[in-house]
Amino acid sequence: AHHKHIDGLHSGLPEIRNKTTVSQQTLSCNLCFITIDCVMPRQVNTADRLTLIHDAVIAIAVESGFAAVTIRAVAQHIGASTSAVTHYLSGRDELLREAIRREIGLLQANAERATAGLDDAAALRAFIEWAVLTRDEQSHRLWLALVLGAGTDPVLREELDRFNAWWSQQIQ
């Protein structure tokens, strides 16, 4: 089923051969061999997009507290529409939970590296030094925002409780 040619113009959907490049797709009519170059949506790497979104959540929380973290604020921060955020995360709770878990996971991995291979006393000392001395201002502001927000936000409370359970296990 070829498209129709009406007064030399194309109408309907043509049979096409796709020749895809990174940013362009060439559509060709098999009947008359007309070729149309179209800009196609770029492929988005899901992991990269989630990292960008999580980084935005953390940046907003550090600057203005977790109450300021909304889907709209995150979308604005990354220069995208709200649908570019909700495509990956179903709502604000998941947005907060995933960003905090990623951030805490990175911190936990750093703590485990700092104490790897040490005996109990040396590991405890290294762990405390890691926790107190290696934090930068952004980390301090993030933890302050998390602790302050946990008083009113159940998601933040849950994530802080998860971290506190891990922390208690580490120092025992």
Side-chain angles (χ1 to χ4, degrees), residues 53 56 60 70-85:
I53 290 169
I60 294 166
T70 64
I71 290 172
R72 184 175 310 282
V74 170
Q76 184 177 14
H77 190 86
I78 66 172
S81 67
T82 56
S83 62
V85 176

Side-chain angles (χ1 to χ4, degrees), residues 131-154:
V132 176
L133 301 177
T134 62
R135 304 279 59 87
D136 58 23
E137 182 181 348
Q138 180 172 329
S139 293
H140 287 294
R141 292 180 72 177
L142 174 63
W143 284 107
L144 180 60
L146 183 58
V147 169
L148 292 174
T152 58
D153 190 311

Side-chain angles (χ1 to χ4, degrees), residues 24 26 28 49 53 56 61 75 81 111-112 116 119 129 138 152 157 165:
Q24 210 173 37
T26 301
S28 301
R49 179 56 62 112
I53 290 169
S81 67
E112 290 168 4
D119 65 36
E129 286 176 359
Q138 180 172 329
T152 58
R157 172 85 262 156

Side-chain angles (χ1 to χ4, degrees), residues 56-73:
V57 169
I58 299 306
I60 294 166
V62 165
E63 183 64 32
S64 305
F66 279 100
V69 177
T70 64
I71 290 172
R72 184 175 310 282

